[in-house]
Amino acid sequence: MLPTEHRLRRREDFATAVRRGRRAGRPLLVVHLRSGATDPHVSGENLPPTRAGFVVSKAVGGAVVRTAVKRRLRHLMRDRLASLPPGSLVVVRALPGAGDADHAQLARDLDAALERLLGGGAR
């Protein structure tokens, strides 16, 4: 489970991450990252913690499947928050194949997307 201070809850925050952030797509998910370092309204010494939110639509599966996917993604993201810049907003959108994927496949796609967003891979 993600601690409360690391949860993305407001609609405006989701919209900011999706519209103004960078995006990396993988077969099972799409990750949107709005780095806290690029936000001109936030001072350098008072950066809020990195926050993450998840979007799992009905295309992924029924309620039980969607909840399981969200839990897996929250667990995976909790271990990766320290590697993200402070003050960042992250939105992870699960694609329809995520409902059939196991934990290792989701982890592989999440790691690849985050690596690309943090400057690892070429477009």
Side-chain angles (χ1 to χ4, degrees):
M1 189 65 116
L2 279 176
T4 303
E5 65 270 10
H6 293 290
R7 294 182 195 164
L8 199 60
R9 292 190 170 162
R10 294 182 19 207
R11 180 179 183 173
E12 296 83 18
D13 293 337
F14 275 88
T16 299
V18 171
R19 291 184 183 143
R20 295 186 180 159
R22 296 180 63 211
R23 178 183 70 206
R26 304 299 307 157
L28 299 177
L29 46 87
V30 177
V31 179
H32 300 269
L33 174 68
R34 169 76 171 161
S35 178
T38 61
D39 191 353
H41 302 293
V42 178
S43 64
E45 60 274 355
N46 292 334
L47 287 175
T50 300
R51 293 180 293 153
F54 306 93
V55 178
V56 183
S57 73
K58 289 185 180 180
V60 173
V64 173
V65 173
R66 291 194 313 268
T67 301
V69 169
K70 280 188 266 189
R71 285 182 178 179
R72 286 183 188 137
L73 290 173
R74 276 197 305 261
H75 178 74
L76 291 168
M77 201 62 206
R78 181 185 62 189
D79 298 334
R80 289 153 179 82
L81 285 175
S83 66
L84 298 171
S88 296
L89 302 178
V90 181
V91 173
V92 180
R93 183 167 44 97
L95 297 176
D100 299 326
D102 63 4
H103 191 78
Q105 292 170 319
L106 287 172
R108 190 169 39 250
D109 274 8
L110 183 60
D111 287 337
L114 288 174
E115 182 179 338
R116 182 172 164 196
L117 288 170
L118 295 174
R123 286 188 163 219

